[in-house]
Amino acid sequence: MVAVLPLFLLLLSSSLAAGAADDDHEFTVMALSSLWLKPNATCSGHRVTPPHNTGWVPLSRPLGPCSPSSSSSSRAAKARPSLGDLLRQDRLRVADIHRRLSGDFRELKGSKKQPAVVEETQIHHQSALELKLGTEQRDSQGIGPAATDGGSSAGVVQTVVLDTASDVPWVQCVPCAIEPCPTYDPTRSSTYAAVPCNATACRRLGPYGNGCVNGQCQYRIVYPDGSSTSGTYSSDVLAIDDGDAVAAFRFGCSQAEQGSFDPQTSGIMALGRGGASLVSQTAASYGAAFSYCLPPADDIKGFFVLGAPPEAAYRFARTPMLRDRRAPTMYRVLLRAITVAGRPLNVPPEVFAAGSVLDSRTIVTRLPLTAYQALRAAFRGRMAGYRRAEPREELDTCYDLAGVRRVRLPRIALVFDPNVVVELDPSGVLLDGCLAFTYNANDTVQGILGNTQQKTIEVLHDIGGAAVGFRRAAC
Ligand SMILES: *[C@@H]1O[C@H](CO)[C@@H](O)[C@H](O)[C@H]1NC(C)=O
Ligand SMILES: *[C@@H]1O[C@H](CO)[C@@H](O)[C@H](O)[C@H]1NC(C)=O
């Protein structure tokens, strides 16, 4: 017995060493940060050198320290929504996407059908970019908000939330109903014009058209949480980076918002496939493509690129972009499998056959029920070393990570058609200690790939090339 023991120890230690090597393939270690940064957190900028020398703009969370328009005092004063508030708004967005995917073209209108109104449209866990709109004229006293020593300046900065599942961009305009008012005042921009009612662009607003006032085209958009925006459909010069400007960018100039939008943002940059979106309007000059990288945390910057990045320099794993006639706005892909710790979940590819929508604003990914159940079981198995915590609404796989500084997470990869493996960043797995995935009612409902899972991955929407590309560790 005495002679056997050292041999046993030797075997044990060598199997531990082999285990450590496997471990790297199966697990990744993540420093834990809480759902919310401390109010006095500072921006640490880009984690990776931004890849493109032209055409990219920084992306940040509207209320985070990387957002130039967000002062630390306004952040501190701002009550953070609870996880419950975030999830509630997420469910409204998901229900709306599913409604539109089912071919229900009726746009939400006010009146009886209006869903419960939330107190404030949630822009936490959203990403926004800053753009410059208009050509600001210096007023006679020279005290205009963007006045410079020249006669005019290159536009007023607006912070707009990126939205890949809508088509009509809009910004808040002066005059406005609710203080604080925005800085973009169309009467002070020499390049501003209202879109006339007889213009093709006005007719093409379709369900978002809201009649004609003094020959000027009107628009109205109602969001699934009951908030809405309306005003004059307009055009002006748009500069989204220091390079080229878009001469006559069309957008809704919002004079009335219902339900409050956070004053830290001043609009929505719609990037859907419909004709009114930024990417469609600029297709001739930028080539019907855009990409973005959503940052892993509030104190890190991401980026947005209008146009396709040079393919030779940056390799994207590409999967076909799917079309759905019933939901022409949305970007869809075919997920075929999921791996956890390197092992594929034991679910047949047919489970994913309905396809998945890529969305920049949905927070938690929705999977087909069968796929979610298998993911949950595999994830729980690999997380057995951590103490489970109570479910948080639809997030049913939560852990008590109090006091845990670094958590060992099983690697999770999404496998797209035909065999494109995209491993998630550790920041794309948990939300407030819970597995950041949930499920649809059944496998026939389309999945939605949310923004948590997209973190740090540059996601290319190449409409001309009918492909979606993924490039890991991009921001
Ligand atoms: C729209 O109406 C104006 C004024 O009646 C006219 O001058 C213009 O040519 C019309 N434009 C189109 C596109 O029909
Ligand atoms: C799947 O769920 C959707 C949404 O709840 C429902 O409309 C549909 O009838 C269900 N399909 C099946 C086959 O159960």
Coordinates of all heavy atoms in Angstrom, one line a residue, residues 42-126:
T42 N -14.8 56.2 -14.9 CA -14.3 57.0 -16.0 C -14.2 56.1 -17.2 O -14.1 54.9 -17.1 CB -12.9 57.6 -15.7 OG1 -12.0 56.5 -15.3 CG2 -13.0 58.6 -14.6
C43 N -14.1 56.7 -18.4 CA -14.1 56.0 -19.6 C -12.6 55.5 -19.9 O -11.7 56.3 -19.8 CB -14.5 56.9 -20.8 SG -14.5 56.1 -22.4
S44 N -12.5 54.2 -20.2 CA -11.1 53.8 -20.5 C -10.9 53.7 -22.0 O -9.9 53.2 -22.4 CB -10.8 52.5 -19.8 OG -11.9 51.6 -19.8
G45 N -11.8 54.2 -22.8 CA -11.6 54.3 -24.2 C -11.7 53.0 -24.9 O -12.4 52.1 -24.5
H46 N -10.9 52.9 -26.0 CA -11.0 51.6 -26.8 C -10.0 50.6 -26.2 O -8.9 50.9 -25.8 CB -10.6 51.9 -28.3 CG -11.6 52.7 -29.0 ND1 -12.8 52.1 -29.5 CD2 -11.7 54.0 -29.3 CE1 -13.5 53.1 -30.1 NE2 -12.8 54.2 -30.0
R47 N -10.5 49.4 -26.2 CA -9.7 48.3 -25.6 C -8.8 47.8 -26.7 O -7.7 47.2 -26.5 CB -10.6 47.2 -25.1 CG -10.0 46.3 -24.1 CD -11.1 45.5 -23.4 NE -11.8 44.7 -24.4 CZ -12.5 43.6 -24.1 NH1 -12.6 43.2 -22.8 NH2 -13.2 42.9 -25.0
V48 N -9.2 47.9 -27.9 CA -8.5 47.4 -29.1 C -8.4 48.6 -30.0 O -9.3 49.4 -30.1 CB -9.3 46.3 -29.8 CG1 -8.6 45.8 -31.1 CG2 -9.5 45.1 -28.9
T49 N -7.2 48.7 -30.7 CA -7.1 49.8 -31.7 C -8.2 49.8 -32.7 O -8.4 48.7 -33.3 CB -5.7 49.8 -32.4 OG1 -4.7 49.6 -31.4 CG2 -5.5 51.0 -33.2
P50 N -9.0 50.8 -32.8 CA -10.1 50.8 -33.8 C -9.5 50.4 -35.2 O -8.5 50.9 -35.6 CB -10.6 52.2 -33.8 CG -10.2 52.7 -32.5 CD -8.9 52.1 -32.2
P51 N -10.2 49.6 -35.9 CA -9.6 49.0 -37.1 C -9.6 49.8 -38.4 O -8.8 49.6 -39.2 CB -10.6 47.8 -37.3 CG -11.9 48.2 -36.7 CD -11.5 49.1 -35.6
H52 N -10.5 50.7 -38.5 CA -10.6 51.3 -39.8 C -10.1 52.8 -39.8 O -10.5 53.5 -38.8 CB -12.1 51.3 -40.3 CG -12.7 50.0 -40.1 ND1 -12.4 48.9 -40.9 CD2 -13.5 49.5 -39.1 CE1 -13.1 47.8 -40.5 NE2 -13.8 48.2 -39.4
N53 N -9.4 53.2 -40.7 CA -8.8 54.5 -40.6 C -9.8 55.6 -41.1 O -9.7 56.7 -40.7 CB -7.5 54.6 -41.4 CG -7.5 53.8 -42.7 OD1 -8.6 53.5 -43.2 ND2 -6.4 53.5 -43.2
T54 N -10.8 55.2 -41.8 CA -11.8 56.2 -42.2 C -13.2 55.6 -41.9 O -13.4 54.4 -41.9 CB -11.8 56.6 -43.6 OG1 -12.0 55.4 -44.4 CG2 -10.5 57.3 -44.0
G55 N -14.2 56.4 -41.7 CA -15.6 56.0 -41.8 C -16.1 55.4 -40.5 O -17.2 55.1 -40.4
W56 N -15.3 55.3 -39.4 CA -15.8 54.7 -38.2 C -16.1 55.8 -37.2 O -15.4 56.8 -37.2 CB -15.0 53.6 -37.7 CG -13.7 54.1 -37.1 CD1 -12.5 54.2 -37.7 CD2 -13.5 54.4 -35.7 NE1 -11.6 54.7 -36.9 CE2 -12.1 54.8 -35.6 CE3 -14.3 54.5 -34.6 CZ2 -11.6 55.3 -34.4 CZ3 -13.7 54.9 -33.4 CH2 -12.4 55.3 -33.3
V57 N -17.0 55.6 -36.4 CA -17.3 56.5 -35.3 C -17.5 55.7 -34.0 O -17.9 54.6 -34.0 CB -18.6 57.3 -35.5 CG1 -18.4 58.5 -36.4 CG2 -19.7 56.4 -36.0
P58 N -17.1 56.3 -32.8 CA -17.2 55.6 -31.6 C -18.6 55.4 -31.2 O -19.5 56.2 -31.5 CB -16.5 56.6 -30.6 CG -15.9 57.7 -31.3 CD -16.5 57.7 -32.7
L59 N -18.9 54.2 -30.6 CA -20.2 53.9 -30.0 C -20.0 53.8 -28.5 O -19.0 53.3 -28.0 CB -20.6 52.5 -30.4 CG -21.4 52.2 -31.7 CD1 -21.7 50.7 -31.7 CD2 -22.6 53.0 -31.7
S60 N -21.0 54.3 -27.8 CA -20.9 54.1 -26.3 C -22.4 54.0 -25.8 O -23.3 54.3 -26.5 CB -20.2 55.3 -25.7 OG -20.9 56.5 -26.0
R61 N -22.4 53.7 -24.5 CA -23.7 53.6 -23.8 C -24.1 55.1 -23.5 O -23.3 55.8 -23.0 CB -23.6 52.8 -22.5 CG -23.2 51.4 -22.7 CD -24.4 50.5 -22.9 NE -24.0 49.1 -23.1 CZ -23.6 48.3 -22.1 NH1 -23.6 48.7 -20.9 NH2 -23.3 47.0 -22.4
P62 N -25.3 55.4 -23.8 CA -25.7 56.8 -23.7 C -25.5 57.4 -22.3 O -25.3 58.6 -22.1 CB -27.2 56.8 -24.0 CG -27.4 55.6 -24.9 CD -26.4 54.6 -24.4
L63 N -25.7 56.6 -21.2 CA -25.5 57.1 -19.9 C -24.2 56.7 -19.3 O -23.9 56.9 -18.1 CB -26.7 56.5 -19.0 CG -28.1 57.0 -19.5 CD1 -29.1 56.2 -18.8 CD2 -28.2 58.5 -19.3
G64 N -23.3 56.1 -20.0 CA -22.1 55.6 -19.5 C -21.0 56.7 -19.6 O -21.2 57.8 -20.2
P65 N -19.9 56.5 -18.9 CA -18.8 57.5 -18.9 C -18.1 57.8 -20.2 O -17.5 58.8 -20.4 CB -17.8 56.9 -17.8 CG -18.1 55.5 -17.8 CD -19.5 55.3 -18.1
C66 N -18.3 56.9 -21.2 CA -17.7 57.1 -22.5 C -18.6 58.0 -23.4 O -18.2 58.3 -24.5 CB -17.5 55.8 -23.2 SG -16.1 54.8 -22.4
S67 N -19.8 58.3 -23.0 CA -20.7 59.1 -23.8 C -20.3 60.6 -23.5 O -20.5 61.1 -22.4 CB -22.1 58.9 -23.4 OG -22.9 59.8 -24.1
P68 N -19.8 61.3 -24.6 CA -19.4 62.7 -24.3 C -20.6 63.6 -23.9 O -20.3 64.6 -23.2 CB -18.9 63.1 -25.7 CG -18.8 61.9 -26.5 CD -19.7 60.9 -26.0
S69 N -21.8 63.2 -24.2 CA -22.9 64.1 -23.9 C -23.4 63.9 -22.4 O -24.3 64.5 -22.0 CB -24.0 63.9 -24.9 OG -24.5 62.6 -24.8
S70 N -22.8 62.9 -21.8 CA -23.3 62.5 -20.5 C -22.4 63.0 -19.4 O -21.3 62.5 -19.3 CB -23.5 61.0 -20.4 OG -23.5 60.6 -19.1
S71 N -22.7 64.0 -18.7 CA -21.9 64.5 -17.6 C -22.0 63.6 -16.4 O -23.0 63.0 -16.2 CB -22.3 66.0 -17.3 OG -23.5 65.9 -16.6
S72 N -21.0 63.6 -15.6 CA -21.0 62.7 -14.5 C -22.1 63.1 -13.5 O -22.7 62.2 -12.9 CB -19.7 62.6 -13.8 OG -19.3 63.9 -13.4
S73 N -22.4 64.4 -13.4 CA -23.5 64.8 -12.5 C -24.9 64.3 -13.0 O -25.7 63.8 -12.2 CB -23.5 66.3 -12.3 OG -23.7 66.9 -13.6
S74 N -25.1 64.3 -14.3 CA -26.4 63.9 -14.8 C -26.5 62.4 -14.6 O -27.5 61.8 -14.4 CB -26.6 64.3 -16.2 OG -25.7 63.6 -17.1
R75 N -25.3 61.7 -14.7 CA -25.4 60.2 -14.6 C -25.7 59.9 -13.1 O -26.5 59.0 -12.8 CB -24.0 59.6 -14.9 CG -23.7 59.5 -16.4 CD -22.7 58.4 -16.6 NE -21.5 58.6 -15.9 CZ -20.5 59.3 -16.2 NH1 -20.5 60.1 -17.3 NH2 -19.4 59.4 -15.5
A76 N -25.1 60.6 -12.2 CA -25.3 60.3 -10.8 C -26.8 60.6 -10.4 O -27.3 59.8 -9.6 CB -24.4 61.2 -9.9
A77 N -27.3 61.6 -11.0 CA -28.7 62.0 -10.7 C -29.7 61.0 -11.3 O -30.8 60.9 -10.8 CB -29.0 63.4 -11.2
K78 N -29.2 60.2 -12.2 CA -30.1 59.4 -13.0 C -30.4 58.1 -12.3 O -29.4 57.3 -12.0 CB -29.4 59.1 -14.3 CG -30.2 58.3 -15.3 CD -30.9 59.3 -16.3 CE -32.2 58.6 -16.7 NZ -33.3 59.4 -16.6
A79 N -31.6 57.8 -12.0 CA -31.9 56.5 -11.3 C -31.7 55.4 -12.3 O -32.2 55.4 -13.5 CB -33.3 56.5 -10.8
R80 N -31.0 54.4 -11.9 CA -30.8 53.2 -12.8 C -32.0 52.3 -12.7 O -32.5 52.1 -11.7 CB -29.6 52.4 -12.4 CG -28.3 52.9 -13.0 CD -27.6 54.0 -12.1 NE -26.4 54.4 -12.7 CZ -25.2 53.9 -12.4 NH1 -25.1 53.0 -11.5 NH2 -24.1 54.4 -13.0
P81 N -32.4 51.8 -13.9 CA -33.6 50.9 -13.9 C -33.1 49.6 -13.2 O -32.0 49.2 -13.2 CB -33.9 50.7 -15.3 CG -32.6 51.0 -16.0 CD -31.9 52.0 -15.2
S82 N -34.1 48.9 -12.7 CA -33.8 47.6 -12.1 C -33.6 46.6 -13.3 O -34.0 46.9 -14.4 CB -34.9 47.1 -11.2 OG -36.1 47.0 -12.0
L83 N -33.1 45.4 -13.0 CA -33.0 44.4 -14.0 C -34.5 44.0 -14.4 O -34.7 43.8 -15.6 CB -32.4 43.1 -13.4 CG -32.3 41.9 -14.3 CD1 -31.4 42.2 -15.5 CD2 -31.8 40.7 -13.6
G84 N -35.4 44.1 -13.5 CA -36.8 43.8 -13.9 C -37.3 44.8 -14.9 O -38.0 44.4 -15.8
D85 N -37.0 46.1 -14.8 CA -37.4 47.1 -15.7 C -36.8 46.8 -17.1 O -37.5 46.9 -18.1 CB -36.9 48.5 -15.3 CG -37.8 49.1 -14.2 OD1 -38.9 48.5 -13.9 OD2 -37.3 50.0 -13.5
L86 N -35.5 46.5 -17.1 CA -34.8 46.2 -18.4 C -35.5 45.0 -19.1 O -35.8 45.0 -20.3 CB -33.4 45.8 -18.1 CG -32.4 46.9 -17.8 CD1 -31.0 46.4 -17.6 CD2 -32.4 48.0 -18.8
L87 N -35.8 43.9 -18.3 CA -36.4 42.7 -18.8 C -37.8 43.0 -19.4 O -38.2 42.4 -20.4 CB -36.4 41.6 -17.8 CG -35.0 41.1 -17.4 CD1 -35.1 40.0 -16.3 CD2 -34.2 40.5 -18.6
R88 N -38.5 43.8 -18.6 CA -39.9 44.1 -19.1 C -39.9 44.8 -20.4 O -40.6 44.5 -21.3 CB -40.6 45.0 -18.0 CG -42.0 45.3 -18.2 CD -42.6 45.8 -16.9 NE -41.8 46.8 -16.3 CZ -42.2 48.1 -16.3 NH1 -43.4 48.5 -16.8 NH2 -41.5 49.0 -15.7
Q89 N -39.0 45.8 -20.6 CA -38.9 46.5 -21.8 C -38.4 45.6 -23.0 O -38.8 45.7 -24.1 CB -38.0 47.7 -21.7 CG -38.3 48.7 -22.9 CD -38.3 50.1 -22.5 OE1 -37.3 50.6 -21.9 NE2 -39.4 50.8 -22.8
D90 N -37.5 44.7 -22.6 CA -37.0 43.7 -23.5 C -38.1 42.8 -24.1 O -38.2 42.5 -25.2 CB -35.9 42.9 -22.8 CG -34.7 42.5 -23.7 OD1 -34.4 43.4 -24.6 OD2 -34.2 41.4 -23.6
R91 N -39.0 42.4 -23.2 CA -40.1 41.6 -23.6 C -41.1 42.3 -24.6 O -41.6 41.7 -25.5 CB -40.9 41.1 -22.4 CG -40.2 40.1 -21.5 CD -41.2 39.4 -20.5 NE -41.7 40.3 -19.5 CZ -41.1 40.5 -18.3 NH1 -39.9 39.8 -18.0 NH2 -41.5 41.3 -17.4
L92 N -41.3 43.6 -24.3 CA -42.1 44.4 -25.2 C -41.5 44.4 -26.6 O -42.1 44.3 -27.6 CB -42.3 45.8 -24.7 CG -43.2 45.9 -23.5 CD1 -43.1 47.4 -22.9 CD2 -44.7 45.6 -23.8
R93 N -40.2 44.6 -26.6 CA -39.5 44.7 -27.9 C -39.5 43.3 -28.7 O -39.8 43.3 -29.9 CB -38.0 45.1 -27.8 CG -37.3 45.3 -29.1 CD -36.0 46.0 -29.0 NE -35.3 46.1 -30.3 CZ -35.5 47.1 -31.1 NH1 -36.4 48.1 -30.8 NH2 -34.9 47.2 -32.3
V94 N -39.3 42.3 -27.9 CA -39.3 40.9 -28.5 C -40.7 40.6 -29.1 O -40.9 40.1 -30.2 CB -38.9 39.9 -27.5 CG1 -39.3 38.5 -27.9 CG2 -37.4 40.0 -27.2
A95 N -41.8 41.0 -28.3 CA -43.1 40.7 -28.7 C -43.4 41.5 -30.0 O -44.1 41.0 -30.9 CB -44.1 41.1 -27.6
D96 N -42.9 42.7 -30.1 CA -43.1 43.5 -31.3 C -42.4 42.9 -32.5 O -42.9 42.8 -33.6 CB -42.6 44.9 -31.0 CG -42.9 45.9 -32.2 OD1 -44.1 45.9 -32.6 OD2 -41.9 46.5 -32.8
I97 N -41.2 42.4 -32.3 CA -40.4 41.8 -33.4 C -41.2 40.6 -33.9 O -41.4 40.3 -35.1 CB -39.0 41.5 -33.0 CG1 -38.2 42.8 -32.9 CG2 -38.3 40.6 -34.0 CD1 -36.8 42.6 -32.4
H98 N -41.6 39.8 -32.9 CA -42.4 38.6 -33.3 C -43.7 38.9 -34.0 O -44.0 38.2 -35.0 CB -42.6 37.7 -32.1 CG -41.4 36.9 -31.6 ND1 -41.2 36.6 -30.3 CD2 -40.4 36.4 -32.3 CE1 -40.0 35.9 -30.3 NE2 -39.5 35.8 -31.5
R99 N -44.3 40.0 -33.6 CA -45.6 40.4 -34.2 C -45.3 40.7 -35.7 O -46.0 40.3 -36.6 CB -46.2 41.6 -33.5 CG -47.5 42.1 -34.0 CD -47.9 43.3 -33.2 NE -47.0 44.4 -33.4 CZ -47.0 45.3 -34.5 NH1 -47.9 45.1 -35.4 NH2 -46.1 46.3 -34.5
R100 N -44.2 41.5 -35.9 CA -43.9 41.9 -37.3 C -43.5 40.7 -38.1 O -43.8 40.6 -39.3 CB -42.9 43.0 -37.3 CG -43.5 44.3 -36.7 CD -42.5 45.5 -37.0 NE -41.4 45.5 -36.0 CZ -40.3 46.1 -36.3 NH1 -40.1 46.7 -37.5 NH2 -39.3 46.1 -35.4
L101 N -42.7 39.8 -37.5 CA -42.3 38.6 -38.2 C -43.5 37.7 -38.6 O -43.4 37.0 -39.6 CB -41.3 37.8 -37.4 CG -39.9 38.3 -37.2 CD1 -39.2 37.6 -36.1 CD2 -39.2 38.2 -38.5
S102 N -44.6 37.8 -37.8 CA -45.7 36.9 -38.2 C -46.6 37.5 -39.3 O -47.6 37.0 -39.6 CB -46.6 36.7 -36.9 OG -47.2 37.9 -36.6
G103 N -46.1 38.7 -39.8 CA -46.8 39.2 -41.0 C -47.8 40.2 -40.6 O -48.7 40.7 -41.4
D104 N -47.9 40.6 -39.3 CA -48.8 41.6 -38.9 C -48.2 43.0 -39.2 O -47.4 43.5 -38.5 CB -49.0 41.5 -37.3 CG -50.1 42.4 -36.8 OD1 -50.5 43.3 -37.6 OD2 -50.5 42.2 -35.7
F105 N -48.7 43.6 -40.3 CA -48.1 44.8 -40.8 C -48.7 46.1 -40.1 O -48.2 47.1 -40.2 CB -48.3 45.0 -42.3 CG -47.4 44.2 -43.1 CD1 -47.8 43.1 -43.8 CD2 -46.0 44.5 -43.1 CE1 -47.0 42.4 -44.6 CE2 -45.1 43.7 -43.8 CZ -45.6 42.6 -44.6
R106 N -49.8 45.9 -39.3 CA -50.4 47.0 -38.7 C -49.4 47.7 -37.8 O -48.8 47.0 -37.0 CB -51.6 46.6 -37.9 CG -52.8 46.3 -38.7 CD -53.9 45.6 -37.9 NE -53.3 44.4 -37.2 CZ -53.8 43.8 -36.2 NH1 -55.0 44.2 -35.7 NH2 -53.3 42.7 -35.7
E107 N -49.2 48.9 -38.0 CA -48.3 49.6 -37.1 C -49.1 49.9 -35.8 O -50.3 50.1 -35.8 CB -47.8 50.9 -37.7 CG -46.8 50.6 -38.9 CD -45.7 49.7 -38.4 OE1 -45.1 50.0 -37.3 OE2 -45.3 48.8 -39.2
L108 N -48.3 50.0 -34.7 CA -49.0 50.3 -33.5 C -49.5 51.7 -33.6 O -48.9 52.6 -34.1 CB -47.9 50.3 -32.3 CG -47.3 48.9 -32.1 CD1 -46.1 49.0 -31.2 CD2 -48.3 47.9 -31.5
K109 N -50.7 51.9 -33.2 CA -51.3 53.2 -33.1 C -51.6 53.6 -31.7 O -51.7 52.7 -30.8 CB -52.6 53.3 -34.0 CG -52.4 53.0 -35.4 CD -51.8 54.3 -36.2 CE -51.6 54.0 -37.6 NZ -50.4 54.7 -38.1
G110 N -51.9 54.8 -31.4 CA -52.3 55.2 -30.1 C -53.6 54.4 -29.7 O -53.7 53.3 -30.1
S111 N -54.5 55.0 -29.1 CA -55.8 54.4 -28.8 C -55.9 53.2 -28.1 O -55.0 52.9 -27.3 CB -56.6 54.3 -30.2 OG -56.2 53.1 -30.8
K112 N -56.9 52.4 -28.3 CA -57.2 51.2 -27.5 C -56.1 50.1 -27.5 O -55.8 49.4 -26.6 CB -58.5 50.6 -27.8 CG -59.7 51.5 -27.7 CD -60.9 50.9 -28.4 CE -61.8 52.0 -29.0 NZ -61.6 52.3 -30.4
K113 N -55.5 50.0 -28.7 CA -54.5 48.9 -28.9 C -53.2 49.2 -28.2 O -52.3 48.3 -28.2 CB -54.3 48.6 -30.4 CG -55.3 47.7 -31.0 CD -55.1 47.6 -32.5 CE -53.7 47.1 -32.8 NZ -53.1 47.7 -34.0
Q114 N -53.1 50.4 -27.8 CA -51.8 50.8 -27.2 C -51.4 49.9 -26.0 O -52.1 49.8 -25.1 CB -51.8 52.3 -26.9 CG -50.5 52.7 -26.4 CD -50.4 54.3 -26.3 OE1 -50.8 54.9 -27.3 NE2 -50.0 54.8 -25.2
P115 N -50.2 49.4 -26.0 CA -49.8 48.6 -24.9 C -49.5 49.5 -23.7 O -49.4 50.7 -23.8 CB -48.5 47.9 -25.3 CG -48.1 48.5 -26.6 CD -49.2 49.5 -27.1
A116 N -49.3 48.9 -22.5 CA -49.1 49.6 -21.3 C -47.9 50.5 -21.5 O -46.9 50.1 -22.0 CB -48.8 48.6 -20.2
V117 N -48.0 51.7 -21.1 CA -47.0 52.7 -21.3 C -46.0 52.6 -20.1 O -46.3 52.5 -19.0 CB -47.6 54.1 -21.3 CG1 -46.5 55.2 -21.4 CG2 -48.5 54.3 -22.5
V118 N -44.7 52.5 -20.5 CA -43.7 52.5 -19.4 C -43.3 53.9 -19.1 O -43.5 54.8 -19.9 CB -42.4 51.7 -19.9 CG1 -42.8 50.2 -20.1 CG2 -41.8 52.3 -21.1
E119 N -42.7 54.0 -18.0 CA -42.4 55.4 -17.5 C -41.3 56.0 -18.4 O -41.4 57.2 -18.7 CB -41.8 55.3 -16.1 CG -42.7 54.7 -15.0 CD -42.8 53.2 -15.2 OE1 -41.7 52.6 -15.3 OE2 -43.9 52.7 -15.2
E120 N -40.4 55.3 -18.8 CA -39.3 55.9 -19.6 C -38.7 54.8 -20.6 O -38.5 53.7 -20.1 CB -38.2 56.5 -18.8 CG -37.2 57.2 -19.6 CD -36.2 57.9 -18.7 OE1 -36.5 59.1 -18.4 OE2 -35.2 57.3 -18.3
T121 N -38.5 55.2 -21.8 CA -37.9 54.3 -22.7 C -36.5 54.0 -22.3 O -35.7 54.9 -22.1 CB -38.0 54.9 -24.2 OG1 -39.3 54.9 -24.6 CG2 -37.2 54.0 -25.1
Q122 N -36.2 52.7 -22.2 CA -35.0 52.3 -21.6 C -33.8 52.4 -22.6 O -33.9 51.8 -23.7 CB -35.1 50.8 -21.2 CG -34.7 50.4 -19.9 CD -34.9 51.4 -18.8 OE1 -34.1 52.3 -18.6 NE2 -36.0 51.2 -18.1
I123 N -32.8 53.2 -22.3 CA -31.7 53.2 -23.2 C -30.5 52.6 -22.5 O -29.4 52.7 -23.1 CB -31.4 54.6 -23.7 CG1 -31.3 55.6 -22.5 CG2 -32.5 55.1 -24.6 CD1 -30.6 56.9 -22.8
H124 N -30.7 52.1 -21.3 CA -29.6 51.4 -20.7 C -29.4 50.1 -21.5 O -30.3 49.6 -22.1 CB -29.9 51.0 -19.2 CG -30.0 52.2 -18.3 ND1 -28.9 52.7 -17.7 CD2 -31.0 53.0 -18.0 CE1 -29.2 53.8 -17.0 NE2 -30.5 54.0 -17.1
H125 N -28.2 49.7 -21.6 CA -27.9 48.5 -22.4 C -28.2 48.7 -23.9 O -28.5 47.8 -24.6 CB -28.5 47.2 -21.8 CG -27.9 46.7 -20.6 ND1 -27.0 45.7 -20.6 CD2 -27.9 47.2 -19.3 CE1 -26.5 45.5 -19.4 NE2 -27.0 46.5 -18.6
Q126 N -28.1 49.9 -24.3 CA -28.2 50.3 -25.7 C -26.9 50.9 -26.1 O -26.2 51.4 -25.2 CB -29.4 51.2 -25.9 CG -30.7 50.8 -25.3 CD -31.4 49.7 -26.1 OE1 -31.3 49.8 -27.4 NE2 -32.0 48.8 -25.5

